[in-house]
Amino acid sequence: MKNFSFGAIVILLLFGTNSLSQTTIKEQLKTLEQSVAATKPNTYVFNVERQKSVSIYDSIGLKACQCLDSLIAFVATQKQMAAATFDLNVKPYLEKKLLERNMETLDFSDEEDLIYESFINVLNYNNAIPTVQLYEDFIVKNYKNQVLMSNILTVLSYIKHTCFYLSNEVSDPTFKYTIHCFREDVLSYNVFNWKVFAIHPGAMLIWSIAACAWDAKFEK
């Protein structure tokens, strides 16, 4: 009887501690959301230097975006071949790139889910970069071991660097159309779209860019 009572108390304490932790995080996130709301869109001019992050996972999104120009160029070259199709000429290339870069499916922990839910509820494309940085700072401040938050920090890196890449102004017709196409897609994202993006950001980024590049119109 004593053993049972002790075990029951331990279980209650564990659940109580977890509940308190979740409550504390939710309260802190409300404050963070207020900070995001107070940040005015389009008041930040970001370059690579200003995007430097406290997150040790920030380079993941940066490296993924650095390969996008070559991806667009590859698709444009394939598209000019008379018998080319997306499935035969582009799809195998994309699958190979995903394997080479080890772009695996991400699986959030409960706390990562809680933070990401807060993030996507306040996310505005026109203010995405400073919003990401506020959430990165929040995570690093509250979780000394960043490895425990590696999935959400990876997704935040993808979002920040993707938005920065899409802010580039280019003159080449194919690149201009592709970037505009994907930017319009991202602008239309709702909460559900961002949840899908979080599962496999690398694949979603690469496949979306490739699809837009394939649809690009060439100027004669």
Side-chain angles (χ1 to χ4, degrees), residues 130-177:
T131 301
V132 167
Q133 291 183 322
L134 284 171
Y135 274 81
E136 285 177 332
D137 290 341
F138 170 83
I139 293 169
V140 173
K141 178 182 177 181
N142 289 281
Y143 299 89
K144 300 304 180 185
N145 185 359
Q146 292 189 33
V147 175
L148 298 176
M149 307 298 286
S150 61
N151 293 319
I152 188 170
L153 288 173
T154 295
V155 173
L156 290 176
S157 175
Y158 268 105
I159 293 173
K160 179 175 66 177
H161 289 290
T162 296
C163 291
F164 180 70
Y165 179 82
L166 294 179
S167 69
N168 293 330
E169 295 296 331
V170 294
S171 57
D172 181 275
T174 301
F175 280 77
K176 188 173 184 177
Y177 177 93

Side-chain angles (χ1 to χ4, degrees), residues 72-155:
I72 295 171
F74 172 81
V75 174
T77 300
Q78 297 300 307
K79 187 176 177 180
Q80 295 179 66
M81 300 179 183
T85 67
F86 188 90
D87 284 345
L88 289 177
N89 295 68
V90 179
K91 184 178 177 181
Y93 178 84
L94 299 182
E95 292 173 341
K96 180 182 178 183
K97 285 297 178 186
L98 288 174
L99 287 174
E100 286 178 353
R101 295 180 175 273
N102 195 28
M103 294 179 176
E104 299 176 349
T105 301
L106 302 179
D107 185 17
F108 281 10
S109 67
D110 289 343
E111 291 191 14
E112 285 178 316
D113 268 327
L114 192 63
I115 297 171
Y116 191 67
E117 191 77 30
S118 168
F119 171 76
I120 58 179
N121 282 334
V122 296
L123 180 60
N124 179 326
Y125 174 82
N126 294 320
N127 216 21
I129 295 175
T131 301
V132 167
Q133 291 183 322
L134 284 171
Y135 274 81
E136 285 177 332
D137 290 341
F138 170 83
I139 293 169
V140 173
K141 178 182 177 181
N142 289 281
Y143 299 89
K144 300 304 180 185
N145 185 359
Q146 292 189 33
V147 175
L148 298 176
M149 307 298 286
S150 61
N151 293 319
I152 188 170
L153 288 173
T154 295
V155 173

